[in-house]
Amino acid sequence: MFEAMQEAKKAESIGEVPIGAIVEKDGIIIGRGHNLTETSKDPTAHAEIIAIKDAAKTLGAWRLLDCTLYVTCEPCAMCAGAIVLARIRKLVIGTPDPKSGACGSIFNIIQEQKLNHYVEIQTGIRQQECEGMMKEFFKKRRKKNTEEVHK
């Protein structure tokens, strides 16, 4: 999770929501990503999608069998679908996302029995730190927006 948190810090440093992800296979990081939606003007440029694409490129295969995805914040529905489609074995989440989380909070796409793949899940890894990054980011953003309104 530490490496995913480093990716989240990269996102934050460029004004993106601080979410980071890594894909690991046999103890080796094979994919990395952090949010780039604002920078790239691409609504699909979430940390998980970028890390999955990077891992697939590294392996030369779209099936990420026996891989674990570590992400600082619970994935949305789009990312949960990509996790299932990539056949990722395990998902490790830092903090839940009660507003749009699709891996247990609002929905649980990755463990939907009707789908063709079931993903093991582990939550709450370094939760306070991951949650703290998100809260601090949005606190600063709200303050900045308030200051701009009052100018």
Side-chain angles (χ1 to χ4, degrees), residues 1-143:
M1 186 59 73
F2 174 80
E3 292 294 328
M5 291 174 66
Q6 295 305 306
E7 290 294 320
K9 289 175 184 176
K10 289 178 188 177
E12 184 175 28
S13 74
I14 57 173
E16 296 278 353
V17 175
I19 298 176
I22 62 142
V23 178
E24 172 269 321
K25 182 178 173 102
D26 300 324
I28 298 167
I29 296 172
I30 61 167
R32 293 177 173 274
H34 55 273
N35 274 6
L36 289 172
T37 54
E38 296 295 334
T39 304
S40 65
K41 308 297 185 230
D42 178 356
T44 68
H46 289 197
E48 302 93 324
I49 301 292
I50 294 167
I52 288 168
K53 286 181 175 182
D54 191 35
K57 184 177 179 182
T58 299
L59 290 181
W62 64 269
R63 288 180 185 91
L64 302 181
L65 303 171
D66 299 319
C67 290
T68 300
L69 173 66
Y70 293 81
V71 63
T72 57
C73 186
E74 181 181 354
C76 69
M78 174 184 68
C79 293
I83 291 164
V84 170
L85 292 172
R87 312 297 197 272
I88 289 174
R89 179 183 56 82
K90 183 176 181 180
L91 172 65
V92 179
I93 298 170
T95 190
D97 183 349
K99 293 185 178 182
S100 64
C103 299
S105 290
I106 297 175
F107 309 106
N108 194 352
I109 292 170
I110 64 167
Q111 294 183 327
E112 172 55 55
Q113 296 295 320
K114 293 177 185 173
L115 296 176
N116 64 335
H117 181 70
Y118 183 89
V119 180
E120 181 184 338
I121 188 170
Q122 184 176 359
T123 61
I125 306 304
R126 299 185 82 162
Q127 182 172 343
Q128 287 182 320
E129 294 165 87
C130 292
E131 183 179 10
M133 271 197 292
M134 295 290 284
K135 285 183 175 181
E136 188 62 28
F137 175 81
F138 285 109
K139 180 180 174 183
K140 287 178 186 174
R141 180 181 270 182
R142 282 189 300 275
K143 182 178 179 193

